[in-house]
Each structure stands twice: as structure tokens, then as C-alpha cells.
Amino acid sequence: MSGYYLSILEGAALTVGVSLASLVVSVALGLLGAAAKLSGRPLLVGGATVYTTLIRGVPELVLMLLVFYGGTIGLIHLLETLGLDPNVDIDPFTAGVLTIGFIYGAYMAETFRGAILSIPKGQTEAARAFGMGPVRTFWRIVLPQMVRYALPGFTNNWLVLIKTTALVSLIGLHEMTYRAKQASAATREPFVYLLFAAALFLAYTSVSLWVLRKVNARYSLGTKKVQL
């Protein structure tokens, strides 16, 4: 196999790592954002609303550059204020993961909020009547049902997140798309290597869909099956 293909495969492994790590960050932020919006506290609701509205209303490319460069400048100013050395070297992998996770946390927040609102309120009231605390009610009653309602929207967000990893090359991370572009420029055969990268993306998303269909089937037992 050509060295260029091997290089693209190495980039594909990096793409998988970035997307999975970004998913963890986005899910965590999504749960926090959904909880804030459903808290009923004006300050939390307002902050979460500004976050989700801003992120969903600005193109991802612009956001990635703003979050990366703006975050770097903000960190330098903070270190200077604290009297510390402002010379920081941000790892491109960490920067890419945090940036993508921050962006898609807003989409996940709306997905989770809608899923929680779809659960009949009487079920959480019944759990409290049986003496369950808020944490236990969430893990035993809300979360299992929320997964089923959230999966369609979660799947769409996840698939778009995977494709968004192609943008991290702008902040210095040499993932699959970047390496395919470099191979195309070196050999002047763009279609060969870009189509190879496209096939790898398609394989990744196809496996993701298969896994999520299995999860959907597991959490839809006893209910009408919903196709993702």
C-alpha cells in the first residue's frame, strides 16, 4: 500500500479519537445545558439560552476559529493577570476536542431537553412519592426513557460532529482530510485520495449507525420501533 494511503489511515485513527473525545465533552455540556434550561432559575435558563442560541446561529467554521483563537487569547490574559508565565502551548488535539465539544454541546442540550420533556411528568412525581431522590430518579426513571427519545436527534448530531472533525486541520491538527489533501497536492491525483478519505468517513458513519440502531432497539423494547 502506498505511503500516502497509510498516512491517511493514520489520520483516520486521529479523526476517530477526536470525534469520540469531542462526543464525551458535548454530551457532558449537553446534559448541563439541558439541566440549566429545565431548572426554572432565570440566571441558569438565561445563560443556557444564550449559549445554545449563539452556537446554533453562527457557522461552525467561524465558531471554531473564534473559540480556538479567542480561548487562547483569554487564557494568556488570565495567566498575565495571575502573574504567571503567559507563554502557553495548547496541544492541537486538546484544542480540537474542546472546540468541537463546546460547539456540539449546544445541539446536544436541545436534544436532551426535548427528550426529557417528552417523558410524562407523572413518572418523576411517582418516583418522588416512592422516596427516590433527584439523582436516583434521574438514573432509574428519566435516563432510560430519555435515551429512547433523544436517539434520533443524538444520531444526527453525532454524524454531523464526525464530519466537522475535518475542520480541525485549520487549527493545526493533521487528521484524515488534511492528509488526503496533502497527498492529492503531492501526487496531483485529488480524486484518488479524497475519494479514499470519503470512503473512510462513510465506513465510520455506517458503523456508527449500526451501533446506534442496536442501542435504539435495546431501549425501544415494548414500544413502537423508531428508525434512525
Side-chain angles (χ1 to χ4, degrees):
M1 180 178 285
S2 167
Y4 291 117
Y5 287 110
L6 290 175
S7 176
I8 294 172
L9 287 175
E10 291 176 358
L14 185 58
T15 295
V16 172
V18 170
S19 58
L20 291 175
S22 299
L23 179 66
V24 174
V25 175
S26 66
V27 168
L29 290 177
L31 289 172
L32 290 174
K37 281 202 162 188
L38 296 172
S39 66
R41 299 180 180 179
L43 185 60
L44 293 178
V45 174
T49 301
V50 170
Y51 168 54
T52 56
T53 302
L54 177 64
I55 296 300
R56 292 186 300 157
V58 179
E60 294 163 357
L61 177 59
V62 176
L63 280 171
M64 181 162 292
L65 295 175
L66 282 174
V67 172
F68 177 67
Y69 292 110
T72 302
I73 294 172
L75 179 60
I76 291 174
H77 285 325
L78 177 62
L79 292 175
E80 289 177 344
T81 303
L82 296 175
L84 302 175
D85 183 10
N87 295 320
V88 293
D89 184 16
I90 299 178
D91 176 56
F93 180 88
T94 303
V97 166
L98 293 178
T99 301
I100 295 176
F102 179 77
I103 292 171
Y104 281 90
Y107 294 94
M108 292 295 185
E110 291 299 331
T111 298
F112 295 151
R113 184 183 71 88
I116 293 172
L117 290 175
S118 298
I119 301 172
K121 189 176 180 180
Q123 297 198 21
T124 55
E125 293 175 348
R128 294 193 186 97
F130 275 98
M132 291 186 180
V135 176
R136 191 176 182 187
T137 298
F138 176 79
W139 284 107
R140 297 291 299 274
I141 305 299
V142 176
L143 182 62
Q145 298 181 82
M146 185 191 78
V147 170
R148 178 166 61 88
Y149 290 118
L151 267 175
F154 176 89
T155 300
N156 290 334
N157 292 335
W158 166 239
L159 294 181
V160 178
L161 186 153
I162 291 174
K163 292 181 287 185
T164 302
T165 57
L167 298 177
V168 296
S169 61
L170 295 173
I171 58 177
L173 198 61
H174 298 173
E175 46 68 61
M176 177 166 50
T177 306
Y178 176 87
R179 298 191 182 209
K181 183 179 178 182
Q182 292 296 98
S184 300
T187 61
R188 296 185 180 180
E189 296 179 352
F191 288 107
V192 174
Y193 296 106
L194 291 176
L195 284 175
F196 181 60
L200 292 175
F201 269 115
L202 182 60
Y204 189 17
T205 54
S206 297
V207 171
S208 298
L209 282 172
W210 180 81
V211 172
L212 289 169
R213 286 194 183 101
K214 294 295 182 182
V215 175
N216 182 63
R218 169 65 181 83
Y219 282 91
S220 296
L221 292 175
T223 63
K224 183 179 179 181
K225 188 174 181 180
V226 178
Q227 292 292 332
L228 296 177

